[in-house]
Amino acid sequence: MSDQIAAQSVIEELLRLQQAVPPRSGFARFWGYSPLGADSVAWYRGAQGEIEVGRILSRLPPEWRVFHALPIGKAGADIDHLVLGPGGIFTINTKHHRGKKIWIAERTIMVDGHKQPYLRNSKFEATRVTKMLRERMPQLPPAQAVIALVGPGQITIKKKPDEVRVMDANDLRRWLLKRPVSLIEADLVDLAAIVDAPATWTALTSGPTPSLMAKFAVIDGEFRTARVRRTVWKLLRIVSLTAILVIAGPSFITAVFQDFLAPH
């Protein structure tokens, strides 16, 4: 399971959905139309978030072990990231909400005013992982549920949840390293071997194909290029309009407004 890459299952679903999206025409590419289908956008954002958190976790010291996209349950569910270290066991659920307002209470998370089931789902993941691992190593501490928010615009905490830690992903590495020691190296070695065994999990996986990240990189590059082109065309329109107004002069602008306000 250590061969699984961050966002593997999300990227696989994104690529599957994109197969049904017709290639953009030269005209569409020129004007910066997105290469993503309507159903693909959320999966693309999800992949971005999990890849970013994967990068953050890759900077943990070598005594920490990190696993990604571990299949659990049915209907394609997986654990975004499972982290094992001296500070314990952590199930990390990534949520990519760039620029959004996040409101957190004891039992609720809201994103731009919309209630989300993140706390319940994260707690369930941690409980399930704890049960699975304790069947092999009964002395283990419980897994800690963590929600890592990627790119939030604003985080408001009314009251911290009791059983799930919610934080900006940028604070994740530092927070993990500050956890009090609860696992010794010998236990971590045994635990990592259990997690790494495909038989531990509820669904078999063949591992990522060599071209998986390459295919995502193509889509990501096309999306970013399209966004830049849209921004350029928007700025050009603003500059053109400003130039017209400057050349026309105040008298022209006054005449336009007078004509607009005059009764017809």
Side-chain angles (χ1 to χ4, degrees), residues 54-70:
R55 291 194 186 108
I56 292 169
L57 295 174
S58 70
R59 298 196 294 270
L60 285 168
E63 62 267 25
W64 291 75
R65 282 80 165 172
V66 181
F67 298 86
H68 308 287
L70 296 173

Side-chain angles (χ1 to χ4, degrees), residues 3-70:
D3 291 335
Q4 298 278 101
I5 62 175
Q8 178 171 322
S9 60
V10 180
I11 294 173
E12 289 172 345
E13 180 62 16
L14 169 64
L15 295 176
R16 187 188 69 80
L17 291 171
Q18 281 295 108
Q19 289 178 352
V21 178
R24 290 176 301 163
S25 64
F27 176 85
R29 289 194 298 272
F30 180 78
W31 290 105
Y33 285 87
S34 173
L36 299 176
D39 294 335
S40 302
V41 175
W43 294 94
Y44 171 72
R45 294 297 188 192
Q48 281 186 313
E50 291 189 33
I51 290 170
E52 176 60 26
V53 172
R55 291 194 186 108
I56 292 169
L57 295 174
S58 70
R59 298 196 294 270
L60 285 168
E63 62 267 25
W64 291 75
R65 282 80 165 172
V66 181
F67 298 86
H68 308 287
L70 296 173

Side-chain angles (χ1 to χ4, degrees), residues 112-161:
D112 276 355
H114 299 284
K115 187 175 180 181
Q116 304 293 339
Y118 298 161
L119 293 176
R120 181 193 65 200
N121 295 347
S122 296
K123 179 182 175 182
F124 177 78
E125 284 186 358
T127 300
R128 189 160 190 172
V129 166
T130 299
K131 182 180 179 181
M132 289 173 57
L133 296 179
R134 279 181 171 172
E135 289 176 354
R136 306 284 293 276
M137 297 179 67
Q139 78 281 11
L140 289 175
Q144 167 72 62
V146 179
I147 296 175
L149 302 169
V150 176
Q154 177 182 335
I155 299 178
T156 301
I157 302 178
K158 182 179 179 181
K159 187 175 182 180
K160 292 182 179 179

Side-chain angles (χ1 to χ4, degrees), residues 123 169 172 190 197 261:
K123 179 182 175 182
L172 179 59
D190 292 341
L261 296 174

Side-chain angles (χ1 to χ4, degrees), residues 210-228:
S211 61
L212 190 65
M213 281 304 299
K215 290 179 180 178
F216 176 78
V218 170
I219 293 176
D220 186 45
E222 291 177 349
F223 179 87
R224 293 175 185 273
T225 299
R227 184 174 59 188
V228 169

Side-chain angles (χ1 to χ4, degrees), residues 96-260:
H96 188 184
H97 292 302
R98 190 164 301 280
K100 304 292 186 179
K101 293 181 179 180
I102 312 296
W103 186 88
I104 303 168
E106 185 177 8
R107 299 182 180 179
T108 304
I109 291 182
M110 299 182 73
V111 178
D112 276 355
H114 299 284
K115 187 175 180 181
Q116 304 293 339
Y118 298 161
L119 293 176
R120 181 193 65 200
N121 295 347
S122 296
K123 179 182 175 182
F124 177 78
E125 284 186 358
T127 300
R128 189 160 190 172
V129 166
T130 299
K131 182 180 179 181
M132 289 173 57
L133 296 179
R134 279 181 171 172
E135 289 176 354
R136 306 284 293 276
M137 297 179 67
Q139 78 281 11
L140 289 175
Q144 167 72 62
V146 179
I147 296 175
L149 302 169
V150 176
Q154 177 182 335
I155 299 178
T156 301
I157 302 178
K158 182 179 179 181
K159 187 175 182 180
K160 292 182 179 179
D162 290 333
E163 299 180 84
V164 181
R165 182 74 184 204
V166 186
M167 69 185 75
D168 189 309
N170 290 324
D171 300 326
L172 179 59
R173 179 180 179 275
R174 181 170 61 254
W175 180 82
L176 288 169
L177 293 177
K178 288 183 177 181
R179 297 307 90 207
V181 174
S182 62
L183 288 172
I184 62 174
E185 178 62 19
D187 287 339
L188 285 171
V189 171
D190 292 341
L191 182 56
I194 293 171
V195 173
D196 198 28
T200 299
W201 304 97
T202 56
L204 296 178
T205 175
S206 58
T209 61
S211 61
L212 190 65
M213 281 304 299
K215 290 179 180 178
F216 176 78
V218 170
I219 293 176
D220 186 45
E222 291 177 349
F223 179 87
R224 293 175 185 273
T225 299
R227 184 174 59 188
V228 169
R229 289 193 176 186
R230 290 195 303 273
T231 301
V232 169
W233 286 121
K234 183 177 180 179
L235 291 174
L236 286 176
R237 287 195 296 269
I238 294 173
V239 170
S240 299
L241 178 59
T242 302
I244 291 172
L245 293 177
V246 170
I247 294 172
S251 58
F252 173 76
I253 298 174
T254 301
V256 170
F257 274 100
Q258 287 177 344
D259 181 67
F260 177 76

